[in-house]
Amino acid sequence: MGEGEKARLEAWYDEMQAVHGRLRRALELVRDTAHDDPDPADPVADLLVYCRGFCTALTRHHTAEDAVLFPELERRHPDLADVLRRLRQDHGMIAYLVADLEHALDRATDRVASRDAVVRHLDGVGAIMESHFRYEERALGASSRRSTSGRRVTTCSGRSEPTRSEIAVGRHRAAPPGPARTPVSLAARA
């Protein structure tokens, strides 16, 4: 892989991490709003606006990856085909969960029941989103940070990234701390 290609992959990876950070912060804003004491005049207005914005941003991010970025990565790096297939599966699952969240928002009329239902949906979307982001950052970050020699590199956080062969055989897939993950495509990676 030439220096230009390495630089391109690293720039893409850095941008992906920045977008993931913004989406994580947006989810926190929505969660904080869900737990705030609502305005008695319009109890769910802020929550609806923030949730819809978060849902739109997350959906557009994944749509762009699926339509533009992943096909280009797969063309340039065929060894990433399995990783990209799993990421596309995650995008489908997340889209389904986001649609459920949006349906809960559409039904948001009763102040307490609506807020509780939205919080439950946010927790589900948030857990799957975080697991997906971690896997994506680990799998694609390893590819973007590693030279073709297959040597390990250490990220700025001090973690040692797996080699391409470790990604291919799945030895890098340690489950993140926290509750067990049950969706099939994510559980298969654990």
Side-chain angles (χ1 to χ4, degrees):
M1 174 184 325
E3 289 302 314
E5 182 67 11
K6 286 181 190 178
R8 195 174 2 268
L9 279 172
E10 287 187 25
W12 170 80
Y13 178 74
D14 291 343
E15 179 60 23
M16 178 190 69
Q17 283 191 306
V19 169
H20 288 178
R22 288 190 295 273
L23 287 166
R24 286 173 172 124
R25 286 188 301 278
L27 179 60
E28 284 307 309
L29 174 65
V30 174
R31 283 180 168 156
D32 290 348
T33 303
H35 294 291
D36 286 346
D37 190 30
D39 176 356
D42 195 359
V44 293
D46 285 346
L47 182 58
L48 291 174
V49 169
Y50 293 154
C51 272
R52 297 238 187 248
F54 168 74
C55 290
T56 299
L58 183 60
T59 299
R60 286 186 178 174
H61 167 66
H62 287 156
T63 300
E65 284 183 337
D66 289 344
V68 180
L69 182 63
F70 289 177
E72 184 63 17
L73 279 175
E74 197 163 14
R75 185 183 70 74
R76 292 173 182 245
H77 305 279
D79 56 309
L80 291 175
D82 286 339
V83 168
L84 297 172
R85 180 185 51 76
R86 288 183 190 109
L87 292 171
R88 287 181 184 110
Q89 286 176 333
D90 284 0
H91 291 173
M93 181 179 18
I94 291 169
Y96 179 82
L97 294 172
V98 166
D100 278 353
L101 172 57
E102 289 177 327
H103 290 297
L105 294 171
D106 292 341
R107 295 184 303 268
T109 54
D110 175 77
R111 178 178 136 177
V112 175
S114 296
R115 195 167 293 276
D116 290 346
V118 168
V119 167
R120 281 192 308 276
H121 284 285
L122 284 170
D123 288 344
V125 170
I128 299 302
M129 180 190 83
E130 185 59 33
S131 178
H132 167 74
F133 284 176
R134 286 181 183 186
Y135 175 72
E136 186 173 49
E137 290 167 358
R138 200 171 49 241
L140 297 181
S143 180
S144 74
R145 301 281 191 229
R146 192 174 43 260
S147 72
T148 55
S149 68
R151 67 177 174 81
R152 285 184 170 268
V153 296
T154 302
T155 65
C156 58
S157 66
R159 292 184 318 221
S160 177
E161 295 290 351
T163 64
R164 196 173 297 233
S165 61
E166 287 172 327
I167 290 172
V169 298
R171 282 188 278 165
H172 72 293
R173 295 189 195 130
R181 300 174 299 174
T182 55
V184 175
S185 70
L186 294 175
R189 285 194 231 132

